[in-house]
Amino acid sequence: MTISIELGLDTFGDVTAAPDGGLLPHAQVIRDVVAQAELADAVGLDFFGVGEHHRADFAVSSPETLLAAVAGRTRRIRLGSAVTVLSSDDPVRVFQRFATLQAVSNGRAEVILGRGSFTESFPLFGYDLAQYETLFEEKLELFAALLTGGPVTWQGRTRAPLTEQRVFPSLETPLTTWIGVGGSPNSVVRAAHYDMPLMLAIIGGDPGRFRPYADLSRRAYAQAGRPVRPIGVHSPGYVAATDAAAREELFPDYKRMRDRIGAERGWPPMTREEFEQEADHGSLYVGSPETVARKIAATVRMLGLSRFQLKYSAGPLPHDRLMRGIELYGIRVAPLVRALLA
């Protein structure tokens, strides 16, 4: 049986290395991300996602604005967030921004809604982390109501109520809305409750450990009496000409990123052995086109996926290497994955 799969790319706009060994300014990184998205479209990929962060090591804090620029310079690729931190934003404004992106892209916009594994946006926008769960639950409820297109009446504890409120611009075509999940069964069931596809963020360990979440999602849709919606996966990786080249090129910058974040969260520094373990048996898709394709195809079959999104940027990994990796992913990895799944 042939499995149909969409293949995409994600980036958080990691601040990359300059030719002199320093770091590029945020403005240049943002312009480089636009160029990376253009290339992803040119090599035939299905999706390009940009994540939202509010910290010095990631340049993108407004994915919709960047994606609107990309929309004017691409033709077919779908464009979305990866992820939008709904908990610390206003659902009405999120809807309006993505409805605008949907219009300027001629229906190519998507949004992946999540609670966010980074919490800098909460104090920045004046939200209490003690309300972490409540904020997401209530705002998702309101966002789902906005997607229906009619006047909205809603009341909760985290924002002002709405009564028969119209919100503009109106959607010309439906806005694909995913729920991003990092490992919570409740979030998996929540996606089915709102009839939204599920995006699993698998950033470490054996991807097979997420099989129960994929199975739970399908059971939840069946119990709700709805057709099963797509399941996608977002995982990190890097493609180069050979396995050895990919690992040698990626490791130093991947370690810098991992150790920087790990220092904030109490993780020990990453060893080369841990990196190799993730590359061999975990959720790091690094290697030659053939190696990466085989690993993606195995994950697609194991979890029953409809989409796989590779987080192709990693810390200061330079722009020229990112561009080469995107080209290899589109021209060589994508056809190989589809052939393996045929």
Side-chain angles (χ1 to χ4, degrees), residues 13 35 87 103 123 130 244 249 284 300 311 331:
S87 308
E249 291 174 12
L284 183 58
V300 169
K311 200 272 188 180
I331 292 177

Side-chain angles (χ1 to χ4, degrees), residues 315-331:
L317 195 63
H319 172 62
D320 60 341
R321 288 186 174 178
L322 297 179
M323 292 289 276
R324 187 182 63 202
I326 291 169
E327 184 174 23
L328 288 171
Y329 185 70
I331 292 177

Side-chain angles (χ1 to χ4, degrees), residues 256-270:
R256 288 189 189 97
M257 175 191 67
R258 168 65 166 68
D259 289 355
R260 183 178 61 247
I261 295 170
E264 301 171 4
R265 301 187 179 189
W267 304 338
M270 170 176 264

Side-chain angles (χ1 to χ4, degrees), residues 6-12 14 47 49 82-83 112 181-182 198-210 231-239 250 254 257 278-279 281-286 292 295-300 302-303 305 307-314 329 333:
E6 295 179 343
L7 295 167
L9 291 169
D10 287 340
T11 181
F12 298 160
D14 304 62
F47 176 82
V83 64
I112 301 174
V181 176
L198 180 71
M199 182 61 63
L200 297 169
I202 307 180
I203 59 174
D206 182 356
R209 66 194 175 92
F210 278 76
I231 298 174
V233 158
H234 149 102
S235 289
Y238 177 69
V239 190
L250 177 63
Y254 191 83
M257 175 191 67
E278 277 296 319
H281 306 292
S283 296
L284 183 58
Y285 295 75
V286 56
V292 173
K295 193 167 184 178
I296 290 173
T299 300
V300 169
M302 183 190 313
L303 301 180
L305 303 181
R307 180 183 289 177
F308 182 91
Q309 297 173 194
L310 186 79
K311 200 272 188 180
Y312 68 92
S313 56
Y329 185 70
V333 174

